[in-house]
Amino acid sequence: TFFPATLTLPAGGSATFFCNISMESDSSSEYSLNWYKETNHTHAQKIAEISWKTPPVMTGKYLLTNHTPSFKIKILNLQQNDSGSYYCGLINFFEYHKVMESNRSHLIVTAAPEKINATDEPDMEEGKPLDHIKTILLSILLQAGAVVLLVFGYLIVMYRRGGVKKPPSENVPVNEDKPPVVSVSTVDYGVLEFQCNPCPHIPPEIRLADQTEYATIIFPEKKPVTPE
């Protein structure tokens, strides 16, 4: 008998089949067990062989193990071209033309699964972290908006109260070019009476003729305040 009847495995893995034999004659009989692969149910190809006294043996792609009356074959590094039907055949050396074949088992090798990169993870797994990040960003934006509104309101209140100081650039007085001060002199004519000490009595014939005296008086810009 040959089992399991069907195996479906991905490429890159391994497949294990078992072949059980039943010897009606003496257990000391010498025999050989062949393993076959059949493609398209037409062409059978011998892929391995093991005898009754062979220890576990590795033949390239196949690992054979003797557990009389059960024999195991392990097909390594499966490829899609390994798909097909497998069976075993028993050859008994003491019985003339004693050849027995087992039933067929089917192996189907599928394509290897694609590796999922960290960037190609499903959106469902990323949903929770993304939602968490969005919540944090929204909270930060709301807090920043509240602070801006508070500062803006404070500035408006202080401005209305006149407590807002102008920037230094606005406090600098504007340098206006003042016109130069022009001193204007004025001329005023008047009669000045000079008082002198009482003059001794002089006869008219001795008196000198009247004389007129002129004087130029320059006053400062700011006239002094006098009682008169």
Side-chain angles (χ1 to χ4, degrees), residues 83-214:
S83 298
S85 298
Y86 291 82
Y87 64 97
C88 59
L90 178 66
I91 301 175
N92 193 338
F93 298 140
F94 288 92
E95 296 186 19
Y96 186 71
H97 296 307
K98 182 65 173 179
V99 178
M100 292 180 292
E101 293 183 356
S102 68
N103 57 296
R104 271 63 170 168
S105 293
H106 302 285
L107 173 63
I108 301 173
V109 181
T110 60
E114 295 182 0
K115 294 182 179 179
I116 300 177
N117 297 328
T119 56
D120 297 335
E121 292 180 357
D123 294 338
M124 295 179 63
E125 296 180 1
E126 295 180 354
K128 293 183 179 179
L130 285 177
D131 291 342
H132 183 64
I133 293 174
K134 289 180 180 178
T135 303
I136 294 176
L137 290 177
L138 182 60
S139 176
I140 293 174
L141 290 175
L142 290 175
Q143 292 178 2
V147 172
V148 171
L149 290 176
L150 289 175
V151 173
F152 187 70
Y154 173 77
L155 291 177
I156 291 177
V157 172
M158 294 302 295
Y159 182 79
R160 290 181 177 178
R161 292 182 179 180
V164 176
K165 295 182 178 180
K166 295 182 179 180
S169 59
E170 297 182 7
N171 292 329
V172 177
V174 179
N175 293 327
E176 297 181 355
D177 295 335
K178 295 182 179 180
V181 178
V182 179
S183 299
V184 179
S185 300
T186 59
V187 179
D188 189 12
Y189 295 94
V191 177
L192 299 179
E193 294 181 358
F194 296 94
Q195 296 180 356
C196 59
N197 293 329
C199 296
H201 181 70
I202 301 175
E205 60 275 7
I206 301 177
R207 292 180 181 175
L208 299 176
D210 293 337
Q211 296 181 354
T212 301
E213 299 288 340
Y214 294 92

Side-chain angles (χ1 to χ4, degrees), residues 9-14 76-80 109-110 112:
L9 298 169
S14 61
L76 307 174
N77 190 21
L78 289 174
Q79 302 298 324
Q80 287 187 308
V109 181
T110 60

